[in-house]
Structures are given as structure tokens and as C-alpha cells.
Amino acid sequence: MRILVTVATRHGATREIAETIAATAGSALTDAGVASQIEVRDASLVTSVDGFDAVVLGSAVYMGHWLDAATEFAVKFADELRALPVWVFSSGPVGERDHPADEPGNAADTVLRLGARGHRLFGGKIDRHTLHLPERAMVAALRVKDGDYRDWPSIRAWGREIGATLAVTEVAGSAS
């Protein structure tokens, strides 16, 4: 089973989430006796989804919206992705209120466009040393403290859930 985990990230924190999802999904597949090849790629560098059996698409969230690379990936490959199992995640809320009531603006549209099996919103990470000047100004204005707001147990659990779901599908398909 070949799985593509594709991600749009600005400073690397969302890619770390994607890599964790890939690793835990792969572990779940291995535990179920299903051989897998999982690739983590930047969304802007993907030229085809041919040959993949499932896709996980993630994006960092800035100013309440996904990064352009993730949205463009979803639009470009929408027809192919509707025929595959697809999961979607967003990363970016930070601070005391790290899970806003509203989903990122274009995430809900992407879930519908792709017929995704689910969307998860994970907290992000703030490290002022990696931010550009306008980003540092925004973080200061919002009084957000540096910190890693990602919920690693939830991220790993979701990756395992994806792998387990794909394993059941693969085992059922090979039994027919």
C-alpha cells in the first residue's frame, strides 16, 4: 500500500505533524500485517498522485486560512483524490485558546471537494526566532507566547487510526 502524506508548511512545524502521522500510520499498517510505503512530500512539489492508494493532506493555518500550496494541491488533484481515501488536517492555533470554534476558512471546502474521511485541527508552534518581522509583530500584538501547542498523543492516535482504517480496507480487499 502506497500512501502520500502531503503538507504545506511555513516554518516546518506542520511538516513535523505530517511526519508523525506517516510514522504512526505506517506502524499501524505493519502491526496489521500490511506492507506499506509512505512518502511525506511538500504539497507544492507533488506532480501526480498516480500510484498512491491513500492521501493525507495537511496545511499550516495563517490568518484563519490554509496556505496556498495546500489549497492549490486540493484543486489540482480533486478528481483523482475523490477516488481515494483522503484525510485532511490543519495546524496553527496557538495560545491559551488553541482550538478556535471555527475551522480554517478553506479547510471545510477542501473536505467537501475531496470527499475526505475526516478533518483534524491541531495546535501549532510559535518560535519567534523562526518568524519573519511581520509575523513577529502579529504574534506580539496578539500577545501569544512562544511554545509548542501541538497535542502529540492526539496526532499519533489519529495517524494510528488512519493506518488501522487502511489496514482493514486492504485486508478486506485481498480477501475478496
Side-chain angles (χ1 to χ4, degrees), residues 151-171:
D151 181 349
W152 292 111
S154 293
I155 293 165
R156 287 188 292 273
W158 195 57
R160 281 190 299 274
E161 181 182 316
I162 291 169
T165 299
L166 290 170
V168 168
T169 304
E170 180 72 8
V171 170

Side-chain angles (χ1 to χ4, degrees), residues 10-34:
R10 191 170 279 175
H11 299 289
T14 306
R15 184 177 182 84
E16 291 172 352
I17 292 172
E19 290 167 349
T20 299
I21 290 168
T24 54
S27 292
L29 285 160
T30 299
D31 291 348
V34 176

Side-chain angles (χ1 to χ4, degrees), residues 65-153:
H65 290 86
W66 268 23
L67 296 179
D68 289 344
T71 302
E72 291 165 6
F73 173 91
V75 170
K76 180 177 181 179
F77 297 110
D79 291 339
E80 295 97 323
L81 293 171
R82 276 193 296 276
L84 296 173
V86 174
W87 287 265
V88 174
F89 74 91
S90 302
S91 167
V94 293
E96 290 179 18
R97 191 175 154 207
D98 64 352
H99 287 87
D102 298 327
E103 286 191 10
N106 39 0
D109 293 339
T110 301
V111 168
L112 289 174
R113 177 183 295 118
L114 304 181
R117 295 183 177 204
H119 172 254
R120 292 288 170 95
L121 177 62
F122 299 115
K125 177 181 175 184
I126 292 290
D127 178 356
R128 290 180 208 285
H129 297 98
T130 65
L131 302 178
H132 302 294
L133 183 60
E135 294 169 323
R136 283 195 308 267
M138 182 186 316
V139 166
L142 295 173
R143 297 183 181 163
V144 176
K145 295 178 182 173
D146 280 17
D148 191 342
Y149 299 92
R150 297 171 293 180
D151 181 349
W152 292 111

